[in-house]
């Protein structure tokens, strides 16, 4: 009760470590209809690109044993609409940290979108989603190559003075190499993980379930991979790590923090349970008491 | 929007592969016809969306077709068991849009939400008739329920085993009346055909595979005249003139 | 009923496509106590190295949302014991395909172990587990680098005339590049996937659940990743692919085959359900009927 | 080894955090004391191993301590609900190894399998006494059950709230008798201490986190004098001389 759950992330104070993950919480305002947003530490907004995008054809969603696949494909109204409409509207209802999640298909595009976000005073942190294919580099995602990831980080750091979190793709051989490349390129923090690349087939129609064939796998089934990557990267880097992937409960938040996370994003669980984040925040003090945790800051990377 | 536990009161076969489930619980958020609920099926990750087919005090009725894992699990559930529902989702039918006499057009299990709509139209003193299309007589349901509300009801089946042989557009042609508005729910090809066939205004309840059902994941977006819209939060009911059938 | 479920894998006829996966079915004989082994298409034996190994300290097993983690660490009696005792004993009770799963920590070790297996007439196929760390190459697993994977494939192909399946690690950026490197180096087939690297923390003790800290994640939660990789690789390579990862049912077997698998290995499910494989084989004809599948060969890669 | 569904007949608190579950089903494979069953807990992936604590016809008794997710889920289950069990696992206690008078040594919930062992010893006409160690009086169970079998029973608790203050080795010292064999089940440190303290032969039921419980995954191996052995299939009961306590 009345426990201090606050953490500091790249100089930004969060009243608690719980942040709905990008793409699983719209532009924040939707959920204001069903809970008080100020219960959240921060909000990561839906992935935004320089120009508006319609996203992929439907079906964009598939079920699987450990969670779900999505191929939403970055449907978004473009960074200008984000900065002019979405963020100011959210700020009226939310006093916590607003995280703009930025995507792109070239370094210049990332930089231009971040420059636009930089001009918006209500954005506290920028989160670079480097899982997008690099159109100029043969279509492999920026986040799968240390050099590409570093280059885009550097380009963005020049375009903004806001703290930049780089959100890494787990679909890589050596997550530590990529994390270190981003750190060296000036990233202020890292977010791990984005979705695993997966696929499901409808055995009745003999077609992929997703119109896009493959999609991003998220949910409880990715949790052990996320914990492992958070642990590996938090040990290898000095900048803070935000844990993400399969978190469903206060216990999961604590496990992520013990692995090395300074804050924790909750993704797919928001789809299953619209009250997921406030429920997790409410559970935290009790779970901390049970585990003898006085202050969340004490357990970051304790394992 | 409200999350809560509902108790299954009835769960019985209504037609082939089609079941009627009566659930009791806090219905304060349930809303009007065309709105839907998201059912958490034990053992599955994502909730499954179902239209509210009927409502009576703190009871609501779902009519569902067994098409996959989730609906098969629902079939196996017994009265007394509980289900976790999110209620009060989506933008439903616009009863106020009805004119002199409306046409309700249902295809297969898409017929389900039209019963609650019919009750609402009746309560609002608006006249309506009903055209239904089913694969065959074994799949048909609710014909008598609509008749009991005093509506003219015409049915078409693909094999002619009930009503006319043909599609729901043939059932529409069999109706004797003049209509100025329609409400439609069914498969995409069926709704496309209805929108093409009927010269007057109307609205359709769209269906897409859903992630959240609450408007936060953008998994269910369709192109409309006013850009990409979420079926779950901006719909499922859309006015005819909004729908870009050529792109859906 | 009486349906022909047979498939051909690298010239070896399997009476059905179901093979218990290496490490999840001991040396085959254990389960003879509880079902007729001849119900199986083949059996992949526990991972074997040139010399005997005691494996890792316990706990070696952890639970997670989508399945389990293991860090058994290749406990095995060495290839001589395999060839002299385990395989001949199994052959007395099993007439199907016997797959020797071989691991090593250098090319020479792999080659020597395969040469020993080559001399055993009862072994039908060799499965190279290239997920082991390459001690000479900085400890990265053989299977995470196309060149290392190709080199070990080549070395082994020179040591044996038996068909060689290379079993790939999913913990890579570009599974297709590795698969193609193995194909070019002479692999007769590929098996996808081995375990994903994961980690769990016991939040009570604040220590990793596994004594070895990280472990291999397997079970239903890896299925969408496995299907995706099987699909990617089967399209890109000409040699047959064996699907593995999270298979629990006849429906899963069919989904894997539609993705491109010629045969399917069942792993962790054997731990949960000792009758998993015979149950799946028994379900196959009925599920095929329901889906209108006459012959399993017709659906391989149909998607 | 047999897989089957069992019905919960009783599931009641026996001591603090400790529960006794009576299950009815096909017990034909259940086997003797020291053998165990693998319980599939709804919602969890891996089965959980529990020793058979007692047995009567087609009923078997488990005594379990609530320590985590799986056991917490078991606590919440009600009589009438069903559980999927694999029975007849492992190598149990060797009743034939008992000499003139045996010592049964139980630590905490490790006391559970000793009750069935005691019944088997009695049926075989072998004499025995019992030494038990618990954290405190609230955790103690089965003391009267062993007494009812005519055995001398001594208890030690860490806080002295029941019997002697101390560890189970103190309870052993309090016994009045001469023993030539022992059977031990408890935590690793407790069994290590017992093996070190007792000069005569005996056997211990070992515990490791399990994958399969059937001997196919090698998840539970421990170093023994005859190499790595699987606790589930080569044990869980091992002769004292087999155990390499310095390496475990
Ligand atoms: C707003 C809305 C209202 C609906 N109302 C009803 C209703 O009243 N009665 C009814 O029977 N069905 C209704 N549906 C469809 C229903 O949601 C799906 O049939 C159900 O989710 C299938 O679940 P499953 O696990 O059995 O199928 P799965 O195993 O998930 O899939 C089986 C098949 O069902 C289809 N399907 C799965 N999920 C959806 C979905 N969300 N939308 C459309 N198709 C899907 C897939 O194309 C697939 O081929 C509605 C859908 C929406 C979006
Ligand atoms: C052969 C054998 C017989 C057993 N008999 C009994 C018995 O009769 N009564 C009883 O209460 N317990 C018994 N156990 C231990 C019991 O299996 C575990 O307590 C149980 O599996 C914990 O499950 P959980 O999901 O509640 O805990 P988890 O959430 O999985 O873990 C909680 C804690 O329990 C411990 N644990 C988990 N699994 C095991 C395991 N397989 N072996 C040992 N420790 C484990 C872990 O160290 C962890 O700290 C036995 C174990 C074995 C191997
Ligand atoms: C429907 C959906 C849309 C997503 N969109 C984005 C996105 O736009 N940008 C991004 O960085 N991550 C996106 N993600 C990834 C999530 O933010 C998160 O990294 C991932 O889902 C793992 O977390 P989880 O298992 O808690 O869902 C999306 C995930 C889902 C399920
Ligand atoms: C306990 C255990 C031990 C394993 N040992 C091996 C091994 O020795 N060699 C190998 O190639 N794969 C090994 N594997 C990996 C499996 O063969 C399989 O590739 C993986 O578990 C994915 O399949 P599943 O999800 O069906 O379990 C092991 C897996 C488990 C769970
Ligand atoms: S289903 Fe998530 S926005 Fe519609
Ligand atoms: S738990 Fe699998 S071998 Fe013992």
């Amino acid at each position: 009760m009345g426990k201090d759950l606050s953490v500091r992330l790249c100089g930004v104070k969060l009243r608690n470590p719980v942040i709905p993950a990008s793409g699983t919480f719209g532009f924040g305002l939707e959920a204001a209809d069903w809970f008080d947003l100020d219960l959240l530490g921060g909000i990561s907004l839906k992935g935004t690109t320089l120009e508006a995008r319609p996203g992929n054809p439907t079906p964009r969603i598939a079920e699987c044993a450990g969670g779900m696949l999505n191929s939403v494909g970055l449907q978004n109204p473009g960074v200008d609409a984000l900065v002019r409409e979405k963020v100011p509207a959210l700020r009226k209802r939310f006093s916590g940290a607003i995280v703009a999640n930025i995507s792109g298909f070239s370094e210049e595009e990332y930089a231009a979108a971040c420059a636009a976000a930089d001009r918006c005073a209500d954005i506290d942190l920028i989160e670079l989603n480097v899982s997008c294919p690099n159109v100029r580099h043969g279509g492999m995602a920026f986040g799968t190559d240390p050099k590409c990831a570093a280059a885009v980080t550097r380009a963005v750091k020049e375009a903004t003075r806001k703290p930049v979190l780089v959100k890494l793709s787990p679909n890589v051989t050596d997550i530590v190499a990529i994390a270190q490349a981003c750190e060296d390129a000036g990233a202020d923090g890292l977010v791990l993980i984005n979705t695993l690349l997966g696929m499901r087939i409808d055995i009745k129609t003999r077609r992929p379930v997703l119109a896009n064939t493959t999609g991003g796998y998220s949910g409880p089934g990715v949790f052990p991979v996320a914990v492992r990557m958070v642990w590996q990267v938090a040990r290898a880097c000095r900048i803070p790590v935000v844990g993400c992937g399969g978190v469903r409960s206060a216990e999961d938040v604590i496990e992520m923090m013990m692995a090395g996370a300074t804050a924790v994003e909750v993704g797919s669980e928001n789809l299953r349970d619209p009250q997921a984040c406030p429920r997790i925040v409410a559970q935290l003090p009790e779970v901390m008491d049970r585990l003898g945790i006085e202050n969340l800051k004490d357990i970051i990377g304790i394992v | 929007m409200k999350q809560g536990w509902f108790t299954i009161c009835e769960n019985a076969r209504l037609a082939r592969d089609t079941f009627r489930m009566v659930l009791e619980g806090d219905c304060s958020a349930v809303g009007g016809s065309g709105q839907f609920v998201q059912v958490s099926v034990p053992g599955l990750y994502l909730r499954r969306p179902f239209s509210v087919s009927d409502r009576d005090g703190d009871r609501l009725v779902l009519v569902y077709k067994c098409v996959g894992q989730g609906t098969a699990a629902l079939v196996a559930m017994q009265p007394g068991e509980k289900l976790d529902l999110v209620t009060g989702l989506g933008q439903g039918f616009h009863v106020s849009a009805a004119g002199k006499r409306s046409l309700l057009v249902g295809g297969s299990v898409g017929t389900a939400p039209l019963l609650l709509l019919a009750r609402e139209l009746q309560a609002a003193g608006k006249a309506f008739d009903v055209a239904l299309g089913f694969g065959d007589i074994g799949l048909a349901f609710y014909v008598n329920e609509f008749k009991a509300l005093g509506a003219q009801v015409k049915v078409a089946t693909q094999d002619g085993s009930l009503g006319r042989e043909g599609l729901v557009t043939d059932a529409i042609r069999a109706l004797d009346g003049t209509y100025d508005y329609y409400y439609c729910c069914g498969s995409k090809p069926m709704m496309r055909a209805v929108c093409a066939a009927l010269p007057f205004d109307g609205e359709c309840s769209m269906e897409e595979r859903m992630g959240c059902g609450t408007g936060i994941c953008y998994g269910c977006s369709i192109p409309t005249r006013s850009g990409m819209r979420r079926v779950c939060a901006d719909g499922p009911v859309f006015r005819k003139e909004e729908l870009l059938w050529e792109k859906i």
Side-chain angles (χ1 to χ4, degrees), chain A residues 21-24 47 68 70 72 74 101 129 167 193-195 218-219 222 244-247 266-268, chain B residues 217:
Chain A
S22 178
T24 67
M68 57 175 288
N70 90 82
V72 169
L74 290 175
N101 180 282
N129 171 11
K167 181 166 176 187
I193 57 176
N194 214 310
T195 53
S218 60
V222 310
C244 177
V247 172
V266 177
S268 310
Chain B
C217 81

Side-chain angles (χ1 to χ4, degrees), chain A residues 42-272:
Chain A
I43 295 177
S44 177
L45 304 179
K46 186 158 171 37
T48 304
T49 47
L50 188 58
E51 308 292 342
R53 287 173 54 91
N56 286 324
T58 55
R60 298 175 173 186
I61 303 281
E63 165 114 15
C64 60
M68 57 175 288
L69 306 184
N70 90 82
S71 59
V72 169
L74 290 175
Q75 179 191 333
N76 80 88
V79 74
D80 283 342
L82 183 83
V83 162
R84 270 186 294 113
E85 296 155 31
K86 302 288 185 187
V87 171
L90 176 59
R91 184 47 89 212
K92 293 211 182 82
R93 303 285 290 269
F94 179 55
S95 64
I98 295 181
V99 184
N101 180 282
I102 303 292
S103 289
F105 300 87
S106 69
E107 284 164 35
E108 295 77 12
E109 205 184 324
Y110 272 104
C114 289
D118 186 67
R119 291 188 288 274
C120 177
D122 289 330
I123 293 173
D124 298 291
L125 292 148
I126 289 180
E127 183 179 62
L128 283 195
N129 171 11
V130 294
S131 299
C132 314
N134 183 338
V135 287
R136 230 171 288 150
H137 243 79
M140 284 290 277
F142 281 92
T144 58
D145 177 66
K147 283 196 211 78
C148 288
V152 73
T153 305
R154 218 172 286 118
V156 163
K157 279 296 289 180
E158 278 170 24
T160 177
R161 288 144 309 163
K162 294 190 194 286
V164 173
L165 306 167
V166 185
K167 181 166 176 187
L168 302 184
S169 163
N171 304 296
V172 299
T173 308
D174 187 352
I175 191 79
V176 170
I178 292 166
Q180 286 173 330
C182 294
E183 177 173 38
D184 293 344
D188 300 289
L190 299 163
V191 185
L192 306 136
I193 57 176
N194 214 310
T195 53
L196 285 165
L197 193 59
M199 175 173 171
R200 288 301 308 277
I201 295 166
D202 183 333
I203 58 177
K204 283 188 210 156
T205 61
R206 307 178 180 194
R207 299 292 319 142
V209 174
L210 298 175
N212 197 45
T213 306
T214 62
Y217 170 27
S218 60
V222 310
F223 185 67
V225 176
V227 170
R228 183 261 296 182
M229 289 190 165
V230 165
W231 177 77
Q232 287 180 314
V233 166
R235 283 157 51 95
C237 295
R238 291 168 309 276
I239 52 177
V241 171
V242 178
C244 177
V247 172
R248 288 182 293 176
S249 64
E251 285 87 349
D252 293 345
V253 167
I254 286 173
E255 189 165 337
M256 277 288 189
M257 295 186 81
M258 288 184 174
T262 297
V264 177
E265 295 189 0
V266 177
S268 310
E269 194 62 13
N270 295 308
L271 278 53
R272 239 194 52 70

Side-chain angles (χ1 to χ4, degrees), chain A residues 23-27 30 34 46 54 58 60-61 63 67-68 72 75 204 220 268-273 275, chain B residues 1 3 40 44-48 67 86 188 208-212 214-219 221 228 230:
Chain A
T24 67
F25 205 67
F27 293 97
E30 293 85 345
W34 61 85
K46 186 158 171 37
T58 55
R60 298 175 173 186
I61 303 281
E63 165 114 15
M68 57 175 288
V72 169
Q75 179 191 333
K204 283 188 210 156
S268 310
E269 194 62 13
N270 295 308
L271 278 53
R272 239 194 52 70
D273 176 3
Q275 303 283 355
Chain B
M1 205 227 54
Q3 185 180 355
S40 177
L44 294 181
Y45 188 68
L46 294 171
R47 290 172 185 267
R48 300 295 195 265
V67 296
V86 176
K188 277 188 209 171
E208 281 297 340
R209 202 174 263 251
M210 288 190 175
C212 63
T214 57
I216 56 178
C217 81
Y218 289 74
S221 304
M228 296 298 291
R230 298 158 303 174

